[in-house]
Amino acid sequence: EQHKSWDSRPLVRYERIWLPVMLFRPILTSQKHFKAEGTDIILTTMPKSGTTWLKALTFSIANRNVFSIHQSPLLSYNPHTLVPFLEYTIYRDQDNPELENIPRPRIFSTHMPFKILPDSIRESECRIIYICRNPLDQFVSHYHFMLQNKIEKDAIPLELDEVFDMFCQGIQPFGPFWDHMLGYWNAHLKNPQKVLFLKYEDLKQDISSHIKKIAEFIGFPFSAEEENQGMIEQISRLCSFENLKNLEVNKSGYFIGSIKNSSFFRKGEVGDWVNHLTPAMAERVKNLTETKFQGSGLVFKM
Ligand code: A3P
């Protein structure tokens, strides 16, 4: 089953998930070939939910004894270069990419829902960190990303109303969003040592405690000495929206194809949806989300 995508390219339905057709082969290849190791850290998200931020944070936390903050690779490389996606980068053109020589812990990312992750990720001791975002902001962020990155020159972007309607039907890259969130939420409830479940809004509200939480989760807790030296604040500042957005590498440069690094840094706020969606649209998403999440224990402040 196929459906036109937001940028006029098709989405294909696989295991009840809408996947961008260009990623279908890389996803199947990574399912077949990726061998997770016990020390790996896998960052998983819906697009536009805080992936870039989580990559910068996790990379900085895990490598804080390798690079000083002032010489962080984040100053010269986009977070997506330092923490590559399985489907957009690593398995994009190759069946057996060289992953042995990457320093440990290796950090990878993917937008794949929990149920289609390569088996080795679910079965090994590796850790999964999931970040999600309230669906209204995620939708608005994705819509703008799509407008900025018309991948084919003649691709005609769909109108906001039309895209919004698809979104409410669950038709969006890696959607439906509520299935994506529930998949990781249930995995987290089953094994909290395996899956850390984060929300973008919570990180915005209190970044320090989340930096500590991530560090503990991946087995690199901060020592009292590091805390006294202000290490947590330094990482928080390095990875902040303002800092990353204004770095030369993120102002220029490309992620893949014609997708600009700068398009990963738009506003970085909570609640920007009010500037783009009507109260009726918001109500529709709130009701849908409440129904879908009923009984799960998962809630969003919207
Ligand atoms: P907005 O479009 O609402 O500004 P992803 O990284 O998953 O693609 O998500 C992109 C969203 O995260 C964008 O949201 C972007 O501005 C925001 N973002 C990127 N880096 C961030 C950071 N360091 N801190 C907070 N938000 C950030």
Side-chain angles (χ1 to χ4, degrees):
E1 196 185 346
Q2 291 211 349
H3 199 287
K4 71 179 168 181
S5 169
W6 301 10
D7 50 19
S8 303
R9 296 183 315 158
L11 291 170
V12 50
R13 199 150 194 237
Y14 169 72
E15 305 259 343
R16 305 173 68 82
I17 302 154
W18 290 102
L19 299 175
V21 82
M22 64 178 269
L23 298 176
F24 191 55
R25 195 205 58 81
I27 285 174
L28 294 188
T29 310
S30 72
Q31 283 178 337
K32 193 161 161 205
H33 294 285
F34 181 67
K35 291 280 163 290
E37 291 177 5
T39 55
D40 289 346
I41 305 165
I42 316 288
L43 310 181
T44 57
T45 62
M46 273 297 270
K48 317 329 291 172
S49 299
T51 322
T52 314
W53 194 12
L54 182 63
K55 285 184 180 192
L57 290 166
T58 309
F59 181 88
S60 305
I61 294 166
N63 289 293
R64 67 187 189 271
N65 296 322
V66 182
F67 311 104
S68 75
I69 295 284
H70 307 290
Q71 287 168 345
S72 170
L74 276 169
L75 301 172
S76 353
Y77 297 92
N78 177 269
H80 297 287
T81 308
L82 299 174
V83 180
F85 282 104
L86 295 178
E87 64 274 24
Y88 289 91
T89 321
I90 298 179
Y91 289 97
R92 185 180 168 86
D93 311 305
Q94 299 180 75
D95 283 358
N96 283 300
E98 173 54 58
L99 303 174
E100 277 312 305
N101 297 328
I102 300 175
R104 271 51 173 182
R106 303 183 302 180
I107 314 174
F108 301 110
S109 78
T110 181
H111 289 320
M112 281 180 246
F114 185 76
K115 68 175 179 186
I116 65 161
L117 286 175
D119 289 339
S120 67
I121 295 183
R122 277 179 280 126
E123 289 162 8
S124 73
E125 299 272 288
C126 75
R127 305 288 158 108
I128 297 172
I129 309 181
Y130 185 69
I131 187 164
C132 59
R133 189 177 190 187
N134 87 67
L136 296 169
D137 282 339
Q138 191 265 350
F139 170 78
V140 166
S141 181
H142 206 156
Y143 186 71
H144 284 97
F145 187 77
M146 188 270 295
L147 290 183
Q148 274 201 40
N149 292 304
K150 279 191 275 169
I151 294 158
E152 286 159 16
K153 278 202 190 75
D154 55 356
I156 301 156
L158 302 169
E159 293 303 319
L160 182 96
D161 283 357
E162 194 182 347
V163 186
F164 181 77
D165 204 55
M166 283 165 63
F167 171 75
C168 290
Q169 294 174 54
I171 305 169
Q172 70 178 134
F174 301 93
F177 70 83
W178 46 81
D179 291 357
H180 203 284
M181 290 182 195
L182 284 173
Y184 284 98
W185 175 249
N186 289 329
H188 159 75
L189 292 180
K190 210 166 145 195
N191 189 353
Q193 264 82 47
K194 172 80 180 175
V195 183
L196 179 65
F197 193 96
L198 304 173
K199 292 181 189 154
Y200 183 92
E201 295 74 24
D202 294 344
L203 267 71
K204 284 295 276 190
Q205 199 170 41
D206 177 4
I207 186 62
S208 298
S209 77
H210 287 91
I211 291 176
K212 276 171 89 162
K213 199 183 253 189
I214 293 170
E216 279 159 24
F217 180 75
I218 63 173
F220 288 90
F222 289 93
S223 64
E225 196 186 339
E226 284 179 311
E227 289 203 30
N228 291 336
Q229 287 167 349
M231 181 66 95
I232 294 174
E233 287 72 26
Q234 287 178 47
I235 291 176
S236 139
R237 251 180 278 131
L238 174 68
C239 301
S240 70
F241 176 78
E242 286 304 323
N243 188 55
L244 293 183
K245 183 187 170 82
N246 291 313
L247 291 172
E248 199 47 49
V249 61
N250 296 327
K251 284 201 266 189
S252 57
Y254 289 87
F255 165 56
I256 43 166
S258 58
I259 300 182
K260 298 185 199 95
N261 284 344
S262 60
S263 64
F264 289 93
F265 305 93
R266 189 182 63 96
K267 259 187 154 175
E269 287 173 7
V270 174
D272 184 48
W273 66 265
V274 295
N275 300 314
H276 303 278
L277 305 179
T278 64
M281 287 164 130
E283 201 53 34
R284 184 170 167 199
V285 173
K286 280 180 195 172
N287 290 339
L288 265 170
T289 307
E290 259 173 45
T291 311
K292 299 279 183 182
F293 288 177
Q294 205 164 33
S296 70
L298 181 55
V299 278
F300 275 95
K301 293 169 233 135
M302 288 199 271

